[in-house]
Amino acid sequence: MANAELDLDPTVLGARFPPGFAWGFAASAYQIEGAAAEDGRGRSIWDTFSRVPGAIADGQTGDVACDHYHRFRDDVALMAGIGAKAYRFSVAWPRVLPDGTGAVNERGLDFYDGLVDALLAAGIEPLVNLFHWDLPQVLQDRGGFANAEVVDWFADYASHVAARLGDRVGDWMTLNEPAVFAFLGHADGIHAPGLRDWPTAMRVADNELRGHAAAAAVIRARVKDARIGIAFDVNRVGPATDSDRDRRAAAQWSSARDAWFLDPLFGRGYPQLGLEAHRAAGHLDGVELADPPGGDLDYLGLNYYRRDSVRALSDAPFDWEIGARPGSEQTQMGWEIAPDGLRDGLVELHREYAPPEMVVTENGAAYPDDVDPDGRVRDERRLAYLARHVEAAADALEAGVPLRGYDAWSLLDNYEWSLGYTRRFGLVHVNFATQRRTRKDSADWYGRLIAATG
Ligand code: FCB
């Protein structure tokens, strides 16, 4: 970081990536599509949860969101205009199977079919993610991901999507951030379905791992040469202080959360330290755990945003405070900015698990952006955040990590879950009253970076 100017220079940074590096964007169905009741879409747990009084910061739903369902051609053109080579989007399960299982809604599949064609015509590789948290409500009514039957439901859903899109899509992702879905949705209650019960969350986590394996097998059977991945969020975890207690807490948390999924995915079963912590906290009471089958992965997707510090409030596992260090540099989410954590995370994950390939499947920052009177959006803090993280990705690449691509979160400002429309992550500004899209300065910067690659 000797020369701050140089750090932001997209041409210098771009030259550190090989030709063909898959620069792209990531997004998810519920956060952008809208059209919640159109063309036969069934209800999802987010349709339900977003209507729970007090659940969402601004009381808003994803009913309209970015209206991407109707504007996807314009949005693909926007991405192409920036020079994107890849787009990671998710399929809404309730659009494809309104009843969760059984009869397929062809109109739902038609939408993704059209999106894939538009992407390919624009020279953008689609990466299809099957599950970004919008479970059909009817399946939640039967226990959702805590019901072991979900493994078959998920594999069945995967097979329908693979059958329709598999002739044109090579890159598949089963789940987005299974730890967030399991823990925030079922133990902390701040995401759909809004439950607060640790044993349920642990069953959900276990079924997600089994669901990944089952869906991967189905995709392999249906799609020749499919590449299978999963998007897992590993933020930088560290102790809040140098005390033994904080250091032990940080190690327990990363084992009980990150290794809890990664170890089984890479065929090692559940990690000992995490097991002890969850057991001691009563999270496994009444839960029958058997190690899930090893995951089938061609690449590991890493979603990376921040550093989390763990402060132990007592010696009891999970009696912890987790968050940004006071006084640290933070985004509007209150997330501590730590670009080195992306480099170190990539290097360490590769050293520990040796996935054949890695992709940064999400990275980005929320700031309150406005369109200036001259029509520009001067989002220099986002631009700097992206530049520093792209630099960290280049460092990881040069350290030998087989990094294949990077997806910025996100193309558009969108529905940020329980924070509604109060957080803007887009490189393109969305006026939610008019749906007008405006490229921010960060989008122009990203375009120059992509152009300079190779
Ligand atoms: C990730 C989610 C994504 C988005 C970003 C900001 O945890 O996968 O949907 O909300 O955070």
Side-chain angles (χ1 to χ4, degrees), residues 395-420:
D395 291 344
L397 196 60
E398 285 156 16
V401 173
L403 188 66
R404 170 157 72 89
Y406 170 100
D407 299 321
W409 182 273
S410 187
L411 176 71
L412 305 171
D413 292 336
N414 60 54
Y415 186 74
E416 180 47 33
W417 308 114
S418 58
L419 294 167

Side-chain angles (χ1 to χ4, degrees), residues 154-192:
F154 186 54
D156 175 52
Y157 156 61
S159 87
H160 291 302
V161 181
R164 179 63 99 82
L165 305 180
D167 58 335
R168 284 151 296 153
V169 173
D171 267 302
W172 295 82
M173 309 206 79
T174 53
L175 305 168
N176 178 68
E177 300 189 354
V180 171
F181 179 70
F183 296 179
L184 265 53
H186 303 79
D188 300 333
I190 61 169
H191 277 189

Side-chain angles (χ1 to χ4, degrees), residues 139-152:
L139 295 184
Q140 187 60 43
D141 297 342
R142 294 161 68 183
F145 258 87
N147 181 341
E149 284 180 68
V150 75
V151 176
D152 292 336

